[in-house]
């Protein structure tokens, strides 16, 4: 198990075992803080509490001071890991509410004979677990967990449906029955004596917009937002290893780079960008301009079809869970490129979800009008006409946007976003699975997030979906896997709890105003970035996957279909795609990735285990 996650921690390995109690802990270390004293598993001086921990606690200094004043004696010089041990002894399970950071940890309380496990508020760090054959087994990646001899991996047909529909697996789903992801903002306790498992939620993303709007409140929010973001960047620059910033030239990464440059000194900050050799996808010129403006030491690499093809075996060989987000490719190359120079990088993840930055937010008003004014039969006719449009391979081509928009508008508002992002419509999903598919069932997590929002407006409900589902299980999962493949830690200042708490209170009309996305954020950043950067149209970190697939770079065919998927449907989809009769490249990429990962899983499960197998985080 430990060997399966060596890429997550190449700087050291540690084990602790207690065969009498049946407890086995393993840890792979990526050394960031207290390089000499941060080895794990880490124990209190009396040996009563031990922990294996993946992540960073950004407010560890403040917590350590508070704990020392309460009488706790620390053994390490400045390890954030030790704060978890003393914090748990002082506050118990309430510890998680005091943490500002990203984490997945398992803390063993020998006196109580129980294991306390937790995952951070947004799920930046992964935690898989299962309770089978009397064993509670956990790991940072699914592939490590599958190596354990007690683990049986039976494919879940319902989970595979969700993967095809979403393009990722929403927590707590994994591809297998009885194997789960601990959802973001949740903790669990496993009691050794009884073998019982208790899951609890310690935090939820809740939008609580203020009702009072006194004069000057907008300016106050702008100042407070910039101040909190600046502090979030500053505390994420703390490391005992080289550090840099991802820079695309867009608003979010430019803001992080501008604030980081303030704290790093003139010409000291390193920035990193990936470009493409296909027109319409390349943002490298924008990144270079921002880097010159901020006087950073800028590094750039270009992703070509040949480079992408060479990366695929390594990516699928380390990917523990299937992902249909093709931006995994450039993200992986970006991380590989950055790791040559630094061990830690800051990114702009979270801003779009907190401040309504995605294109679908602008479509909400018109989508609402459309559904009210256009009767069902006319909508069907419009969809038939749209399906006759020529297929384009460009970034967010007109036919792609129109077809996806109409696909979503065939459903009620609570299903708009997952339907807009789904690579297949209802009829195609049914054909793929050879039986009818109920959208309410397959998108149950998205519906729950939509309905969890107490605000009645479409923007807030959309923010809830993107933050609860898409951010956790697509964006952050992708960045974690792409970065840890190359032993690189990525930090997200926008997800600092103090920034998040402010964003939760700002009403949606200050996030999306007259069709302008991220309105309040742009106003706040106007003090540190020029207007042409702030007003640049958003461009996702997309790759020309449509063209690459049509050029047969992945050699797609129906033989890669998993059991339970319609091989004939996949073969027809491949043929139509090659003949330029469809733009289902997202489905084809996602299905191919699924097949590659599941084949690797099968090999791991069938590999004989050794006596040295341990539970690994």
């Amino acid at each position: 198990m430990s060997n399966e996650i060596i890429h997550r921690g190449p700087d050291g390995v540690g084990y602790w075992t207690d065969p009498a109690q049946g407890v086995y802990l393993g840890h792979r270390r990526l050394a960031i803080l207290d390089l000499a004293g941060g080895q794990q598993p880490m124990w209190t001086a009396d040996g009563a509490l031990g922990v294996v921990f993946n992540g960073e606690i950004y407010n560890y200094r403040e917590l350590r001071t508070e704990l020392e004043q309460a009488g706790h004696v620390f053994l390490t010089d400045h390890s954030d890991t030790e704060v978890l041990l003393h914090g748990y002894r002082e506050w118990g399970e309430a510890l998680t509410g005091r943490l500002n950071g990203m984490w997945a940890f398992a803390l063993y309380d020998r006196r109580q004979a129980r294991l306390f496990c937790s995952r951070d508020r947004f799920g930046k760090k992964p935690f898989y677990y299962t309770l089978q054959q009397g064993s509670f087994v956990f790991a940072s990646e699914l592939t490590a967990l599958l190596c354990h001899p007690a683990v049986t991996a039976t494919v879940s047909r319902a989970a595979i449906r969700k993967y095809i529909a979403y393009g990722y697996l929403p927590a707590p789903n994994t591809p297998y029955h009885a194997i789960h992801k601990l959802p973001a903002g949740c903790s669990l306790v496993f009691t050794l004596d009884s073998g019982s498992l208790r899951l609890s939620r310690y935090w939820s993303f809740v939008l609580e917009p203020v009702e009072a709007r006194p004069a000057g409140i907008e300016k106050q929010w702008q100042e407070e937002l910039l101040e909190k973001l600046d502090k979030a960047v500053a505390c994420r620059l703390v490391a005992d290893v080289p550090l840099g910033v991802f820079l695309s030239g867009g608003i979010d990464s430019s803001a992080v780079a501008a604030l980081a440059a303030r704290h790093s000194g003139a010409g000291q900050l390193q920035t990193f960008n990936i470009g493409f050799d296909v027109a319409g996808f390349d943002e490298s010129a924008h990144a270079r301009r921002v880097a010159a403006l901020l006087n950073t030491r800028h590094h750039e690499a270009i992703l070509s079809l040949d480079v992408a093809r060479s990366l695929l075996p390594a990516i699928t060989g380390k990917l523990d869970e299937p992902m249909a987000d093709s931006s995994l490719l450039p993200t992986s190359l970006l991380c590989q490129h950055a790791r040559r120079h630094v061990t830690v990088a800051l990114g702009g993840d979270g801003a779009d979800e907190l401040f309504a930055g995605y294109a679908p937010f602008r479509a909400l008003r018109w989508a609402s009008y459309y559904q009210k004014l256009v009767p069902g039969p006319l909508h069907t006719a419009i969809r038939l006409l749209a399906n006759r449009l020529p297929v384009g391979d460009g970034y967010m081509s007109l036919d792609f946007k129109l077809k996806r928009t109409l696909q979503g508008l065939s459903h009620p508002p609570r299903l708009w976003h997952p339907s807009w992002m789904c690579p297949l419509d209802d009829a195609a999903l049914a054909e793929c699975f050879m039986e009818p598919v109920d959208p309410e069932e397959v998108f149950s997590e998205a519906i729950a997030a939509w309905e969890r929002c107490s605000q009645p407006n479409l923007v807030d409900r959309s923010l809830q979906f993107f933050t609860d589902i898409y951010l956790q299980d697509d964006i952050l999962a992708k960045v974690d896997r792409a970065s840890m493949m190359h032993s690189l830690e990525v930090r997200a200042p926008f997800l600092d709890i103090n920034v998040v708490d402010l964003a939760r209170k700002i009403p949606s009309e200050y996030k999306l105003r007259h069709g302008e996305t991220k309105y309040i954020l742009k106003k706040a950043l106007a003090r540190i970035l020029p207007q042409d950067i702030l007003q640049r149209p958003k461009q996702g970190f997309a790759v020309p996957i449509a063209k690459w697939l049509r050029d047969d770079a992945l050699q797609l065919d129906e033989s890669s279909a998993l059991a339970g998927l319609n091989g004939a449907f996949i073969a027809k989809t491949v043929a139509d795609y090659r003949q330029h009769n469809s733009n289902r490249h997202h489905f084809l990429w996602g299905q191919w990735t699924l097949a590659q990962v599941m084949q690797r899983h099968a090999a791991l499960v069938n590999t004989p285990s050794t006596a040295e197998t341990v539970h690994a985080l």
Side-chain angles (χ1 to χ4, degrees):
M1 291 176 72
S2 177
N3 289 339
E4 276 299 319
I5 58 170
I6 191 171
H7 50 276
R8 299 189 75 91
D11 298 331
V13 61
Y15 303 116
W16 185 89
T17 66
D18 183 356
Q21 290 295 317
V23 178
Y24 303 83
L25 301 174
H27 182 266
R28 285 283 181 180
R29 187 183 185 204
L30 178 62
I32 304 291
L33 283 174
D34 199 353
L35 305 187
Q39 293 84 0
Q40 299 183 44
M42 184 178 288
W43 293 87
T44 52
D46 59 6
L49 298 175
V51 69
V52 281
F53 161 53
N54 175 25
E56 297 289 337
I57 307 302
Y58 303 119
N59 63 333
Y60 78 95
R61 289 170 170 169
E62 296 89 336
L63 293 176
R64 177 166 176 153
T65 298
E66 183 178 352
L67 288 164
E68 286 176 332
Q69 290 173 350
H72 293 264
V73 178
F74 282 71
L75 301 179
T76 65
D77 182 69
H78 61 284
S79 171
D80 59 335
T81 303
E82 194 175 6
V83 166
L84 299 176
L85 293 170
H86 294 283
Y88 179 78
R89 175 162 284 174
E90 181 72 20
W91 302 306
E93 294 181 27
L95 161 70
T96 53
R98 293 174 173 265
L99 301 178
N100 184 357
M102 56 180 180
W103 67 85
F105 66 77
L107 193 151
Y108 178 41
D109 186 335
R110 297 179 71 184
R111 292 171 180 168
Q112 298 293 324
R114 70 176 198 161
L115 198 70
F116 175 60
C117 308
S118 181
R119 193 175 181 205
D120 65 74
R121 295 175 181 87
F122 289 97
K124 279 187 64 62
K125 290 300 176 183
F127 191 102
Y128 293 87
Y129 71 95
T130 187
L131 184 58
Q132 296 186 40
Q133 302 183 48
S135 293
F136 174 68
V137 188
F138 63 91
S140 283
E141 294 192 4
L142 187 54
T143 46
L145 189 144
L146 293 176
C147 293
H148 195 281
V151 174
T152 300
T154 304
V155 175
S156 167
R157 187 175 175 84
I160 299 302
R161 283 183 179 180
K162 288 180 181 293
Y163 169 77
I164 293 294
Y166 282 105
Y168 50 88
L169 281 161
N173 296 281
T174 74
Y176 305 106
H177 291 290
I179 300 177
H180 314 285
K181 287 185 284 194
L182 181 63
C186 288
S187 299
L188 65 81
V189 173
F190 176 71
T191 304
L192 274 67
D193 295 338
S194 64
S196 64
L197 192 67
R198 172 173 58 86
L199 187 72
S200 61
R201 176 168 289 280
Y202 66 86
W203 186 85
S204 295
F205 180 75
V206 178
L207 290 165
E208 299 176 318
V210 298
E211 294 184 4
R213 316 284 170 80
I217 189 64
E218 182 180 325
K219 183 179 180 182
Q220 179 182 326
W221 282 333
Q222 293 172 20
E223 294 173 350
E224 192 176 351
L225 179 54
L226 187 60
E227 177 187 356
K228 290 183 181 299
L229 186 59
D230 183 60
K231 290 181 179 179
V233 169
C235 72
R236 281 161 180 78
L237 293 174
V238 176
D240 295 334
V241 292
L243 181 148
V245 174
F246 292 157
L247 180 60
S248 69
I251 297 170
D252 309 330
S253 65
S254 297
V256 172
L259 294 171
R262 283 180 169 184
H263 297 282
S264 302
Q268 296 303 305
L269 182 68
Q270 298 191 71
T271 52
F272 302 90
N273 172 259
I274 291 295
F276 300 98
D277 61 354
V278 178
F281 292 85
D282 185 36
E283 293 185 281
S284 56
H286 300 291
R288 286 194 296 270
R289 178 178 179 273
V290 176
L293 182 70
L294 301 178
N295 189 25
T296 71
R297 293 152 56 195
H298 191 58
H299 308 272
E300 181 182 300
I302 300 297
L303 181 60
S304 65
L305 175 56
D306 289 339
V307 172
R309 186 186 290 113
S310 69
L311 277 175
L312 283 175
I315 291 176
T316 56
K318 288 183 179 178
L319 191 60
D320 73 311
E321 183 176 298
M323 294 181 188
D325 189 337
S326 59
S327 64
L328 176 70
L329 278 169
T331 305
S332 178
L333 182 61
L334 175 61
C335 293
Q336 181 186 60
H337 179 50
R339 188 62 176 90
R340 298 188 182 106
H341 306 271
V342 299
T343 308
V344 176
L346 276 62
D349 295 322
D352 288 319
E353 291 79 9
L354 293 173
F355 297 100
Y358 291 120
F361 284 98
R362 293 198 300 268
L364 291 172
R365 181 182 178 187
W366 304 110
S368 181
Y369 289 154
Y370 179 94
Q371 276 207 335
K372 290 178 181 178
L373 299 175
V374 177
L378 179 56
H379 170 71
T380 301
I382 293 172
R383 284 196 68 184
L384 290 172
L385 288 173
N387 287 337
R388 299 174 65 88
L389 288 172
V391 174
D393 286 344
Y395 174 70
M396 297 294 286
S397 62
L398 175 62
D399 73 295
F400 175 82
K401 290 191 289 187
L402 184 57
K403 291 170 185 175
R404 283 292 183 91
T405 300
L406 293 171
Q407 175 178 303
L409 290 175
S410 300
H411 298 285
R414 64 180 178 275
L415 288 171
W416 281 354
H417 292 295
S419 296
W420 281 337
M421 302 170 81
C422 182
L424 301 174
D425 60 20
D426 293 352
L429 280 173
E431 191 176 355
C432 179
F433 289 102
M434 298 177 285
E435 61 185 8
V437 174
D438 181 3
E440 300 275 338
E441 178 184 349
V442 77
F443 292 128
S444 58
E445 297 82 6
I447 294 172
W450 183 271
E451 295 179 345
R452 192 157 47 243
C453 179
S454 60
Q455 309 304 315
N457 67 80
L458 293 174
V459 175
D460 278 335
R461 287 179 178 266
S462 300
L463 287 167
Q464 192 80 47
F465 162 78
F466 278 107
T467 305
D468 276 2
I469 308 295
Y470 183 63
L471 176 65
Q472 173 188 176
D473 295 308
D474 185 302
I475 300 299
L476 296 180
K478 172 193 68 181
V479 172
D480 174 80
R481 300 317 191 275
S483 61
M484 296 309 288
M485 282 179 189
H486 305 289
S487 307
L488 178 77
E489 179 173 285
V490 176
R491 301 173 175 180
F494 280 102
L495 295 180
D496 184 278
I497 187 57
N498 297 306
V499 175
V500 171
D501 282 343
L502 175 61
R504 292 191 303 108
K505 297 174 183 178
I506 297 176
S508 59
E509 58 264 36
Y510 290 87
K511 298 174 182 178
L512 180 70
R513 175 168 292 187
H514 306 307
E516 182 179 3
T517 58
K518 292 194 283 199
Y519 169 80
I520 191 73
L521 180 61
K522 293 175 183 176
K523 289 293 185 182
L525 298 176
R527 303 182 183 190
I528 61 172
L529 293 174
Q531 281 299 311
D532 63 312
I533 294 174
L534 294 175
Q535 298 305 321
R536 252 194 72 207
K538 178 177 176 56
Q539 180 169 337
F541 201 24
V543 295
I545 195 69
K547 181 180 185 304
W548 292 351
L549 290 179
R550 217 179 295 283
D551 291 342
D552 206 22
L554 302 184
Q555 299 179 340
L556 294 166
D557 60 62
E558 69 277 11
S559 66
S560 63
L562 290 171
L565 300 186
N566 187 345
F569 170 76
I570 294 174
K572 182 178 184 300
T573 303
V574 171
D576 286 345
Y577 191 76
R578 286 173 176 156
Q579 295 168 16
H580 230 279
N581 294 327
S582 80
N583 57 358
R584 287 177 173 168
H585 50 279
H586 290 107
F587 165 73
L588 292 175
W589 165 258
Q591 184 271 328
W592 182 84
T593 306
L594 173 67
Q596 304 303 306
V597 172
M598 299 295 276
Q599 287 168 14
R600 179 173 177 237
H601 287 181
L604 287 170
V605 173
N606 293 328
T607 300
S609 300
T610 68
E612 287 75 32
T613 298
V614 295
H615 306 280
L617 182 66

